[in-house]
């Protein structure tokens, strides 16, 4: 059996690089590890970290195809982020004009969670630790 040590990163392709960079850095508070412009691809690659761990790669490509549907599409369903206080996190998102779905309760863990979209409609989840 293959021995995995963890998830290294999650890659996200955005349609508006500056808007997505602002969202992930200023709204969600991820920190920039490195930002590279790749001229041969007319593409940016932004490496981001959460709580001191490199976890997210944000890419821009000219005219990427749209996501076929919301979480039920094949491929990445959503990116879940943990928070200490979901009510506080929702209030912070709402202050930026970002709407969240009603809070749900995980039937297996009893933990609270909600969903909200990134600038390209990628479903993101807040999960209370």
């Amino acid at each position: 059996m293959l021995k995995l040590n963890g998830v290294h990163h999650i890659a996200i392709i955005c349609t508006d690089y500056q808007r997505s960079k602002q969202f992930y850095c200023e709204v969600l508070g991820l920190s920039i590890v490195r930002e590279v412009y790749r001229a041969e691809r007319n593409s940016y690659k932004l490496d981001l970290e959460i709580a001191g761990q490199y976890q997210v790669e944000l890419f821009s490509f000219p005219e990427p195809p749209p996501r076929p549907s919301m979480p039920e599409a094949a491929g990445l369903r959503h990116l879940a982020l943990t928070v200490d206080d979901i009510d506080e996190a929702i209030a912070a998102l709402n202050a930026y004009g970002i709407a969240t779905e009603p809070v749900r309760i995980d039937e297996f863990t009893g933990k609270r969670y909600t969903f909200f979209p990134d600038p390209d409609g990628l479903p993101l989840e807040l999960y209370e630790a």
Side-chain angles (χ1 to χ4, degrees), residues 94-115:
N94 294 164
Y96 281 99
I98 299 166
T100 60
E101 292 183 0
V103 173
R104 304 181 202 178
I105 306 295
D106 185 315
E107 65 183 290
F108 301 107
T109 66
K111 301 287 186 171
R112 300 186 314 151
Y113 66 99
T114 188
F115 288 93

Side-chain angles (χ1 to χ4, degrees), residues 17-36:
Y17 178 73
Q18 292 303 325
R19 180 181 70 175
S20 291
K21 178 181 174 183
Q22 185 269 337
F23 176 81
Y24 282 93
C25 294
E26 294 177 27
V27 176
L28 297 185
L30 278 65
S31 301
I32 296 173
V33 174
R34 138 185 357 92
E35 182 177 32
V36 178

Side-chain angles (χ1 to χ4, degrees), residues 27-74:
V27 176
L28 297 185
L30 278 65
S31 301
I32 296 173
V33 174
R34 138 185 357 92
E35 182 177 32
V36 178
Y37 178 71
R38 302 173 307 170
E40 71 281 1
R41 295 183 178 188
N42 189 22
S43 168
Y44 279 95
K45 179 180 183 281
L46 183 65
D47 296 334
L48 301 166
E49 65 181 16
I50 302 169
Q53 295 184 329
Y54 166 58
Q55 304 226 355
V56 176
E57 291 179 338
L58 183 65
F59 290 94
S60 69
F61 291 108
E63 301 180 34
R67 182 178 172 88
S69 69
M70 287 307 284
E72 290 71 29

